[in-house]
């Protein structure tokens, strides 16, 4: 609850709405015990007294009744009717929606066609017709308003339910022998409940307005009973001579409906799980960069180098140092591996290169990225955009979610090409088929017409690689491209990458958490731990003679085939949280060789031979 209020309070307006609505409801609740006069007592001597002139604070109406008292009692009634109508509509509408969505086929057809029939009438006309049939009166107005709002709930909830009923956990519940009723109550309802609350919070306002509308027309509350709509209706005749009689109930309706709508917006944002983790704003086109500039005299002959890169996530008071001073070099025709446990900052390093870390909360606070003499951290947006997917391209871990589900493979490839090259339709088609061939997709003309879901996992990843190759890149950054694939497909994809480096002279930055993969394709490897590089050098050297205890422990975790049985090593403990890193070596708590110096001082990355650097006070010395 406190968390919810916190989320809500990020949206100032909805917090204001909440405060106002609480005040209004509180006043409505205590109205019976307030020392105010009877709202229905007629006193024709004192008709149309203006506000603040007599005992009646807000003046009197055409029958001399105290407007203040009528307003308070009227608000109480209008709120009650509005909330009741919303609850009834939500209850019946959601129940119909859940049943229609859950049982689908014929049940769905019958219910939804009924709902469609309701929706075929303009709803205020329908409400009028219902009240006309039932007879005027507040209760009938309530029923009418509830009925016309049922379709809104039924349609919304049916849609959500339909999406849920095919999920695996519902199948699992069925297999475990649960009855339909139980599945609906324990599995479906909790999932659709937030949607019901959101729909209610946004419709209560309408319902109050609609009831007021019916009362205004004389079909809702009957004299002498006051509700906001009937007060407005009665004041209509005196609108010109005594405007305050209309303004008083009108302003109250405005305040209530505005407050409820603002609050409804806030509730929707706070309950939406996608917005829960992030700030309520869309990410920028590139990562924020703190105010600094360290890049001087960049070397034009270098293809791509990253220097002392620092990327942090600022969330509330927390400061997550995801990447803390990382330097790496990509060379033409070579593959650089970045390896480390999950959460060590590999992806953030890779994404920072092209400003793809989402901001907020991400921010680059130090370092530079040298691409042939220009610093990508501080270039302008156009230059960065012209490089993205062109000279530097990415391949991500999940091949399915990186492809658009509604476009064919060919269309997506063509889009990737056209983004950077002005070529004719015929040419772009030929290019896309060639690309599919180059990543060894059999029968490319046919496969090009397929949608992503029609391809196998390995095939999808090849399409992603083909897209990355679309504009003859110089560098491909591959973020765990084979983690979601099985070992045989992984081997094929790896050999494809190897060929690309050899034949096209591509530079590849290959992120992985698997030393097996490193041994197969990487020329050099950087081992990352808690946002820092702890060992960096030629992969053969590091695989055979790891110098950092973390590296050797990681290598120890790789099973070896054909070497007989041995106990598989694992590293106890977990990587540290990057928001509370102290001084000293971050690996020290999990290391066997820790000495007191490891804990106190920042440890520098030191060369232990010409090519290899290690961040350790007691490295196993290389030859
Ligand atoms: P990996 O090495 O598994 O690719 P990442 O680079 O994705 O790890 O993450 C590095 C660290 O940054 C992790 O501790 C993670 O919690 C943090 N992090 C990543 N993305 C975000 C984000 N959007 N908000 C907050 N922290 C993040
Ligand atoms: Mg990652």
């Amino acid at each position: 609850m406190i968390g919810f209020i916190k989320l809500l309070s990020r949206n100032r307006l909805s917090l204001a709405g909440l405060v106002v609505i609480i005040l209004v409801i509180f006043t409505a609740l205590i109205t019976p015990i307030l020392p105010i006069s009877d709202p229905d007592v007629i006193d024709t001597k004192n008709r149309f007294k203006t506000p603040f002139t007599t005992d009646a604070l807000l003046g009197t109406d055409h029958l001399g009744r105290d407007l203040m008292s009528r307003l308070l009692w009227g608000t109480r009634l209008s709120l009650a009717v509005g909330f009741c109508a919303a609850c009834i509509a939500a209850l019946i509408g959601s129940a119909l929606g859940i049943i229609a969505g859950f049982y689908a086929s014929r049940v769905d057809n019958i219910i939804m066609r009924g709902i469609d029939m309701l929706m075929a009438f303009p709803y205020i006309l329908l409400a009028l017709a219902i009240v006309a049939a039932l007879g005027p009166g507040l209760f009938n107005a309530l029923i009418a308003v509830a009925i016309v709002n049922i379709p809104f709930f039924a349609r919304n909830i049916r849609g959500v339910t339909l999406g849920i009923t095919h999920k695996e956990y519902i199948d699992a519940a069925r297999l475990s022998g649960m009855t339909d009723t139980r599945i609906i109550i324990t599995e479906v309802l909790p999932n659709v409940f937030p949607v019901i609350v959101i729909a209610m919070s946004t419709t209560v306002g309408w319902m109050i307005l609609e009831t007021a509308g019916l009362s205004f027309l004389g079909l809702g509350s009957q004299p002498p009973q006051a509700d906001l709509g009937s007060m407005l209706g009665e004041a209509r005749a005196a609108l010109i001579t005594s405007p305050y009689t209309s303004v008083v109930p009108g302003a109250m309706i405005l305040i209530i409906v505005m407050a409820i709508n603002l609050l409804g917006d806030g509730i929707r944002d706070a309950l939406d799980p996608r917005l829960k983790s992030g700030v309520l704003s869309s990410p920028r086109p590139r990562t924020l960069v703190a105010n600094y500039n360290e890049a001087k005299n960049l070397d034009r002959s270098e293809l791509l180098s990253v220097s002392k890169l620092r990327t942090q996530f600022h969330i509330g008071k927390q400061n997550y140092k995801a990447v803390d001073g990382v330097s790496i070099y990509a060379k033409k025709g070579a593959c650089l591996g970045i390896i480390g446990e999950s959460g060590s900052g590999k992806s953030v390093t890779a994404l920072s290169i092209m400003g793809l870390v989402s901001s907020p909360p991400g921010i680059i606070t130090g370092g530079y990225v040298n691409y042939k003499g220009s610093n990508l951290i501080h270039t302008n947006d156009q230059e960065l955009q012209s490089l993205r997917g062109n000279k530097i391209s990415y391949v991500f871990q999940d091949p399915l979610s990186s492809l658009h589900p509604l476009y064919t493979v060919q269309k997506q490839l063509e889009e990737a090409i056209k983004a950077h090259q002005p070529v004719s339709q015929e040419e772009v088609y030929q290019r896309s088929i060639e690309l599919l061939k180059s990543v060894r997709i059999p029968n490319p003309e046919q496969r090009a017409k397929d949608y992503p879901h029609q391809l196998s996992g390995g095939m999808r990843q090849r399409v992603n690689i083909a897209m990355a190759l679309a504009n003859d890149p110089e560098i491909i950054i591959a973020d765990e491209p084979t983690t979601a694939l099985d070992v045989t497909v992984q081997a094929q994809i790896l050999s494809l990458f190897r060929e690309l480096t050899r034949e096209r002279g591509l530079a590849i930055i290959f992120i992985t958490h698997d030393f097996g993969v490193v041994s197969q394709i990487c020329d050099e490897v950087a081992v990352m731990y808690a946002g820092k590089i702890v060992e960096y050098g030629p992969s053969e050297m590091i695989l055979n003679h790891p110098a950092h205890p973390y590296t050797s422990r990681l290598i120890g975790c790789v099973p070896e085939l054909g070497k007989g049985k041995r106990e598989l090593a694992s590293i106890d403990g977990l990587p540290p949280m990057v928001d509370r890193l102290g001084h000293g070596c971050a690996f020290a708590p999990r290391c066997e060789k820790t000495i007191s110096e490891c804990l106190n001082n920042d440890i520098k990355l030191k060369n232990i031979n010409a090519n290899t650097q290690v961040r350790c006070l007691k490295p196993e010395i290389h030859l």
Side-chain angles (χ1 to χ4, degrees), residues 219-502:
L219 298 170
S221 80
Q222 298 300 307
Q225 195 180 39
D227 83 340
L228 295 174
S230 65
M231 284 176 74
L232 258 186
E234 288 166 0
R236 189 172 33 169
L239 184 63
I240 307 293
T241 49
S242 309
Y244 62 88
T245 48
S246 313
V247 170
V248 168
M252 184 52 107
I253 293 180
L254 182 77
I255 290 173
I256 294 179
V257 175
M258 282 247 311
I260 290 181
N261 286 352
L262 289 176
L263 176 63
D265 274 355
I267 290 181
R268 190 198 49 219
D269 292 348
L271 282 185
D272 190 329
R274 280 164 304 180
L275 296 173
K276 236 180 230 176
S277 48
V279 186
L280 289 172
S281 60
S282 50
R284 293 155 189 260
R286 69 187 284 183
T287 313
L288 267 179
V289 178
N291 193 10
Y292 76 95
N293 198 349
E294 315 176 338
K296 285 180 209 101
N297 305 329
L298 296 181
D299 186 351
R300 286 174 166 276
S301 62
E302 269 179 10
L303 179 57
L304 181 86
S305 67
V306 174
S307 263
K308 299 177 204 138
L309 178 74
R310 287 174 205 281
T311 307
Q312 310 184 340
F313 294 96
H314 294 181
I315 303 174
K317 290 198 182 91
Q318 241 93 319
N319 181 4
Y320 296 86
K321 294 180 180 161
V323 174
D324 199 16
V326 164
S327 304
I328 48 175
Y329 307 87
K331 293 175 195 147
K332 212 167 161 352
C335 176
L336 166 69
I338 303 182
I339 189 166
E341 279 167 291
S342 192
S344 50
K346 309 181 295 291
S347 296
V348 176
T349 306
L351 292 172
S352 303
I353 294 176
M354 293 293 263
L356 289 172
V357 177
S358 67
S359 284
I363 177 166
I364 296 178
T365 60
Y368 56 88
V369 176
N370 174 14
Y371 169 71
K372 295 184 170 173
S374 70
N375 175 13
L376 296 187
I377 304 279
H378 284 100
T379 51
N380 56 35
D381 289 359
Q382 281 92 348
E383 193 182 339
L384 195 65
Q385 207 155 26
S386 71
L387 285 175
R388 282 180 181 170
N390 189 9
K391 292 297 156 212
I392 306 179
S393 55
Y394 281 85
V395 179
F396 292 103
Q397 175 173 355
D398 185 353
L400 189 55
S401 64
S402 350
L403 293 173
H404 196 300
L406 300 182
Y407 291 127
T408 57
V409 164
Q410 182 187 336
K411 196 144 177 60
Q412 303 192 44
L413 276 170
E414 291 182 357
E415 194 179 57
I417 300 169
K418 280 187 188 160
H420 295 287
Q421 302 176 39
V423 281
S424 69
Q425 189 54 39
E426 179 55 27
E427 215 174 317
V428 87
Y429 174 74
Q430 290 305 337
R431 282 276 294 142
S432 55
I433 299 295
E434 269 167 37
L435 280 170
L436 290 180
K437 266 190 205 144
S438 71
V439 292
R440 312 258 140 44
I441 287 192
N443 202 355
E445 287 84 4
Q446 222 42 49
R447 292 286 81 78
K449 295 190 196 120
D450 285 348
Y451 287 90
H453 69 269
Q454 293 172 297
L455 304 176
S456 68
M459 205 94 92
R460 282 181 210 135
Q461 196 57 298
R462 281 163 201 250
V463 172
N464 275 317
I465 297 171
M467 280 172 77
L469 293 174
N471 298 300
D472 269 327
E474 296 171 64
I475 301 151
I476 290 188
I477 301 172
D479 191 351
E480 311 211 24
T482 57
T483 305
L485 307 175
D486 62 62
V487 275
T488 45
V489 181
Q490 168 169 313
Q492 292 166 5
I493 300 272
L494 290 183
S495 75
L496 185 67
F497 271 112
R498 213 167 26 223
E499 272 174 37
L500 289 172
T501 43
R502 270 197 220 119

